[in-house]
Amino acid sequence: MTTARLHAVEDGPADGPVLVLGPSLGTDTGLFDAQVAEFAGTHRVIRYDLRGHGGSEVVAGTCTMADLARDVLALLDGLGVERFSYAGVSIGGAIGQQLALTVPERLEKLAIIASAAQFADPPSWPVRARQVREQGTEILVPSRTGTWFTEEWAAENPKAAERLLQMLRDTPAEGYAACCEAIGTFDVRDRLGGISTPTLAIAGAEDPATPPDMVRLIAEGIDGAEFVVVPGAAHLPNATDPETVNAALRRHLGS
Ligand SMILES: O=C(O)CC1=CCC(=O)O1
């Protein structure tokens, strides 16, 4: 059990309600620029890089979702944050579920975006981890178009698409691989009923990685959870349709 030192960026008033933003596999804090633009007026927004991603420490070897959640708690403890709301995309949303199960007393509101209680095809994740350790993250770049965002969105937003793909190229192979292993062993399907934090689950209608039915399963498992589908969006709806995602988050988080 190791804790990694996480890189984080803060925006908004220091005395505002805290909103923590957790990114997806192979991305960094830049994934949330559009959420910061919306929420830094009302919230102390803290966005972090996953272990082994962006500016965060690379810890060699495998890890679990519980380790990744502990990284976030160590970061927040260091910043003096006790209570917070949390929104996370994909693996970032899985970390959110883990936090809701382990520190419910610290969590005010939870938003789970394009995520799963168990990701598809668990045995494929250690295989992907090995491939990336051997060949780097570059091998995954072409297939992220169609997964992270639609071909149409990429054609209309080439600079934004390239910026997201550059985050993946910049991710250290070991950091990416370790997070793949955490994804492969993550399974809280039987524990969703234990989450008491008010929850919003958001899916991209065109997401092949965590399709709407997979996200709906989270919402159905958590008492009172709201479920929203973003039309035309794939796996990163917060980046490709920030207006829709920000509006849903604003309704959920309040002002
Ligand atoms: O494989 C991807 O890029 C999609 C994904 C699954 C978990 C995650 O964080 O991203």
Side-chain angles (χ1 to χ4, degrees):
M1 194 177 79
T2 47
T3 303
R5 223 172 334 96
L6 299 189
H7 167 251
V9 182
E10 283 198 53
D11 295 276
D15 60 352
V18 174
L19 172 61
V20 178
L21 299 174
S24 64
L25 183 65
T27 69
D28 62 34
T29 54
L31 178 65
F32 291 113
D33 286 352
Q35 282 65 55
V36 171
E38 167 67 22
F39 289 98
T42 50
H43 287 70
R44 177 183 177 190
V45 184
I46 301 173
R47 42 184 167 155
Y48 67 87
D49 288 326
L50 296 162
R51 112 172 15 194
H53 286 60
S56 290
E57 182 183 12
V58 180
V59 178
T62 191
C63 68
T64 65
M65 214 57 77
D67 292 323
L68 298 177
R70 268 192 295 274
D71 290 349
V72 176
L73 291 175
L75 169 74
L76 297 178
D77 289 346
L79 294 173
V81 172
E82 177 58 27
R83 302 261 303 160
F84 57 96
S85 291
Y86 180 98
V89 180
S90 197
I91 188 174
I95 294 169
Q97 293 168 70
Q98 190 74 44
L99 290 168
L101 287 165
T102 50
V103 290
E105 71 285 359
R106 295 180 66 172
L107 206 51
E108 283 173 355
K109 300 264 176 81
L110 174 63
I112 299 168
I113 302 168
S115 189
Q118 182 190 44
F119 288 86
D121 197 4
S124 72
W125 291 97
V127 175
R128 194 195 289 196
R130 190 172 62 245
Q131 285 169 339
V132 166
R133 281 196 177 98
E134 287 168 5
Q135 301 175 60
T137 57
E138 185 65 41
I139 56 162
L140 292 166
V141 170
S143 58
R144 293 315 88 186
T145 299
T147 303
W148 284 2
F149 37 75
T150 62
E151 301 264 4
E152 294 75 19
W153 185 85
E156 284 165 20
N157 302 274
K159 280 198 183 137
E162 184 49 37
R163 179 162 180 257
L164 291 166
L165 296 175
Q166 191 59 41
M167 294 178 195
L168 178 57
R169 290 193 189 92
D170 291 342
T171 303
E174 181 56 34
Y176 188 97
C179 287
C180 285
E181 288 162 342
I183 290 169
T185 57
F186 180 67
D187 183 4
V188 295
R189 288 172 298 168
D190 290 346
R191 301 175 65 198
L192 291 172
I195 294 180
S196 54
T197 306
T199 298
L200 165 69
I202 301 178
E206 312 297 330
D207 181 1
T210 54
D213 279 351
M214 207 177 266
V215 184
R216 182 184 289 113
L217 193 137
I218 300 175
E220 287 174 353
I222 300 174
D223 197 29
E226 185 192 352
F227 178 56
V228 169
V229 179
V230 183
H235 195 56
L236 303 180
N238 67 301
T240 60
D241 188 351
E243 293 78 13
T244 302
V245 171
N246 286 350
L249 287 173
R250 177 63 74 186
R251 273 197 314 274
H252 184 58
L253 296 173
S255 50

